[in-house]
Amino acid sequence: MMDYVERVLEELKAKNPGEPEFHQAATEILNGLRPVVARHPEYEKAALLERFVEPERVVMFRVPWVDDAGKVHVNKGYRVQFNSAIGPYKGGLRFHPTVTLSVIKFLGLEQILKNSLTGLPIGGGKGGSDFDPKGKSDNEIMRFCQSFMTELCRHIGQDTDVPAGDIGVGGREVGFLFGQYKRIRNEHVGVLTGRGLSYGGSLVRTEATGYGLVYMVEEALACRGDSLVGKTVVVSGSGNVAIYATEKAQQLGAKVVALYDSNGYIYDKNGIQLDVVKQIKEVERARIKVYAERVKGAEYHEGCKGIWSIPCDIALPCATQNEIDGDAARLLVKNGVKYVGEGANMPSTLEAIEVFQKAGVVFLPAKAANAGGVATSALEMAQSSGRMFWTFEEVDAKLKQIMVNIYHNMDNAAKEYGVEGDYVAGANIAGFKKVADAMMAQGIV
Ligand code: NDP
Ligand code: 2IT
């Protein structure tokens, strides 16, 4: 006979066909929750898991815009308001051609538990578009963001739903989105996070996801009597999360030797020169290939996958979902990887996670390891509501404490439920408990 978790997963797959990323995230999460639902039979009576995996609301809309040559384009827009049991919906917007409803739902489901793990009062949501920002002018980006917000603005609000950035949405896009929200709604409020410092943003938000990831890895090392000093690190991606993970890892004494973008990877055995990467990626918005033209001794290789063949102590996947499959995981293990910290959302396939865990790699799952970004978004919301600003040092100290707390909460939850060292289960359990308590207390809604 199927147990409760299996039954909910089967129903979910039948009701949501053609959504492989959503199925994958739900499978990882619900399998981790098995010991919790076994201990709480009242959850099944209240159909708690069935409600947990069904978004409270899904908004889908048309986003028409005109390019610089006068041609009209139409993209899809999404906002999935997944769960508001513990706070207003909170989560990023992704602009990338691979965005589908399945992708936004997997990200939204993960976000519920991630946001709970931060210990701050934020529910889970996610949104985005299949719009491709690559090669677009600033004016095209602005017109797209204005069109996107013209519809989105009726669904969000500082106490309802607070979007932020994700892949393809950074400071520039948040600025355009905020400007249009303010213009239509006539409110200067903290309705988006990741805002510029001149209009309500928080110090450290730009660095937060990457820094937070490395703070968690540092804590995992410290608990084993070790540190980042002298460690070789491979980071994938070369966007916001990858850049600031690299920066913090280098500050703490590690050597980061590789990065990639969607075309190929760079290998610099002397250690990545981050000022060169920032100039290429943040200022010029050019390809990572340019690094090897500028830095002596650095290599460029076409294609992404080869990055996982570089021997390292620590791997930090910081680009996108399913970038590490079973083969990549086996290669990393064979070459001696000891720690994997997920900066991206769901960067490891289910098979890759199994390979890492069986090999005894310390595996820090995304919803815990990359929670520093949204945690700092919640700190931005607190500063907006209080009409004040904290210093860089104050926000950074709070971020570090949150990451250390998340590490110990997931570690303790894994121990409490008899799966010590399994941080995938530990993070799911620790995040779920607060949401489950809130949902049970609020009745059948
Ligand atoms: P950016 O847009 O700043 O950077 C994304 C990076 O990943 C780029 O280098 C991009 O390369 C690469 N990338 C994206 N898609 C692919 C792909 N299909 N194949 C290969 N490379 C790809 O995004 P972020 O750094 O903000 O986000 C990276 C990851 O971190 C995402 O999974 C996101 O969900 C997650 N995350 C982000 C947070 C944040 O605060 N920003 C918070 C928590 C998690 P290219 O430029 O060639 O496309
Ligand atoms: O995946 C994520 O946690 C983010 N993209 C950040 C979300 C946020 O609201 O800061």
Side-chain angles (χ1 to χ4, degrees):
M1 207 183 90
M2 276 198 265
D3 73 2
Y4 180 33
V5 163
E6 276 170 69
R7 182 166 60 73
V8 173
L9 279 173
E10 285 307 308
E11 280 172 15
L12 176 142
K13 287 174 191 166
K15 281 190 191 176
N16 302 276
E19 298 186 1
E21 295 86 0
F22 182 50
H23 300 175
Q24 183 182 337
T27 302
E28 186 233 90
I29 290 170
L30 294 196
N31 279 332
L33 295 179
R34 200 169 259 114
V36 183
V37 294
R39 202 178 284 188
H40 293 277
E42 70 276 19
Y43 290 172
E44 186 169 356
K45 288 201 189 77
L48 191 73
L49 291 183
E50 291 89 325
R51 287 188 285 138
F52 177 72
V53 298
E54 188 65 41
E56 289 174 15
R57 189 173 301 104
V58 175
V59 184
M60 294 202 266
F61 50 98
R62 175 170 75 203
V63 192
W65 60 281
V66 184
D67 71 18
D68 290 345
K71 186 171 181 314
V72 180
H73 300 261
V74 181
N75 284 99
K76 287 181 177 292
Y78 304 91
R79 187 70 184 168
V80 174
Q81 299 182 327
F82 223 120
N83 193 300
S84 61
I86 67 169
Y89 310 108
K90 179 84 196 86
L93 298 172
R94 176 177 292 190
F95 293 170
H96 194 272
T98 56
V99 164
T100 60
L101 181 60
S102 171
V103 167
I104 299 299
K105 282 171 70 179
F106 113 66
L107 290 163
L109 186 63
E110 282 278 295
Q111 199 83 42
I112 303 169
L113 299 179
K114 180 194 310 192
N115 293 2
S116 170
L117 282 168
T118 67
L120 300 165
I122 40 179
K126 200 85 189 188
S129 173
D130 60 357
F131 173 72
D132 185 358
K134 274 203 198 82
K136 305 291 188 295
S137 70
D138 284 351
N139 275 327
E140 288 172 330
I141 297 284
M142 180 177 76
R143 286 196 295 276
F144 177 81
C145 288
Q146 289 178 342
S147 180
F148 186 86
M149 183 54 84
T150 299
E151 172 61 32
L152 186 69
C153 76
R154 63 182 97 220
H155 308 288
I156 61 175
Q158 62 171 342
D159 297 318
T160 309
D161 183 356
V162 183
D166 194 81
I167 293 176
V169 178
R172 175 181 60 173
E173 292 74 19
V174 169
F176 293 147
L177 291 163
F178 182 79
Q180 185 73 348
Y181 179 90
K182 182 170 66 62
R183 183 184 184 196
I184 298 176
R185 297 277 294 257
N186 199 22
E187 306 174 338
H188 196 301
V189 292
V191 69
L192 288 154
T193 59
R195 282 168 288 151
L197 298 176
S198 58
Y199 60 97
S202 173
L203 287 160
V204 194
R205 178 63 190 87
T206 303
E207 297 85 355
T209 311
Y211 277 22
L213 169 66
V214 177
Y215 289 146
M216 180 169 289
V217 173
E218 185 190 27
E219 183 65 12
L221 281 156
C223 289
R224 291 160 179 83
D226 207 345
S227 81
L228 278 154
V229 177
K231 296 287 186 296
T232 299
V233 182
V234 166
V235 178
S236 66
S238 48
N240 173 266
V241 180
I243 286 175
Y244 292 95
T246 300
E247 182 164 288
K248 184 51 74 179
Q250 290 180 337
Q251 284 172 8
L252 296 175
K255 185 156 116 180
V256 178
V257 294
L259 289 173
Y260 73 43
D261 63 23
S262 57
N263 293 106
Y265 70 94
I266 51 164
Y267 173 58
D268 187 343
K269 62 178 183 322
N270 301 316
I272 296 286
Q273 292 180 26
L274 199 58
D275 51 341
V276 178
V277 175
K278 284 186 180 176
Q279 172 65 28
I280 295 167
K281 285 290 166 188
E282 294 183 338
V283 181
E284 299 169 23
R285 296 182 187 271
R287 308 310 297 160
I288 200 69
K289 182 182 187 167
V290 175
Y291 181 91
E293 293 160 13
R294 292 187 190 169
V295 177
K296 225 173 137 232
E299 300 168 14
Y300 174 74
H301 299 266
E302 276 296 321
C304 299
K305 283 280 174 228
I307 201 171
W308 308 119
S309 67
I310 300 170
C312 61
D313 305 301
I314 300 170
L316 303 177
C318 294
T320 194
Q321 62 270 11
N322 294 328
E323 50 177 320
I324 302 186
D325 59 13
D327 289 339
R330 278 183 283 274
L331 201 51
L332 281 162
V333 167
K334 182 168 144 260
N335 289 332
V337 76
K338 295 283 176 303
Y339 292 79
V340 174
E342 294 191 316
N345 284 304
M346 203 167 79
S348 313
T349 63
L350 293 171
E351 188 192 357
I353 296 174
E354 204 183 318
V355 170
F356 290 135
Q357 292 190 322
K358 280 205 175 126
V361 171
V362 177
F363 181 79
L364 304 168
K367 66 176 68 67
N370 74 30
V374 76
T376 307
S377 279
L379 300 177
E380 181 174 329
M381 289 163 72
Q383 292 169 83
S384 297
S385 311
R387 302 267 190 274
M388 41 82 178
F389 294 101
W390 295 324
T391 64
F392 191 96
E393 289 70 27
E394 283 174 293
V395 182
D396 191 39
K398 287 182 203 295
L399 167 64
K400 188 167 182 183
Q401 191 59 56
I402 288 168
M403 298 314 294
V404 168
N405 289 347
I406 294 175
Y407 175 80
H408 289 286
N409 286 342
M410 78 179 172
D411 186 43
N412 289 336
K415 286 178 185 150
E416 190 189 329
Y417 283 86
V419 286
E420 183 165 353
D422 179 349
Y423 297 136
V424 174
N428 285 322
I429 294 167
F432 183 70
K433 274 161 65 178
K434 182 174 169 188
V435 178
D437 283 351
M439 287 178 73
M440 292 299 282
Q442 291 170 21
I444 305 300
V445 290

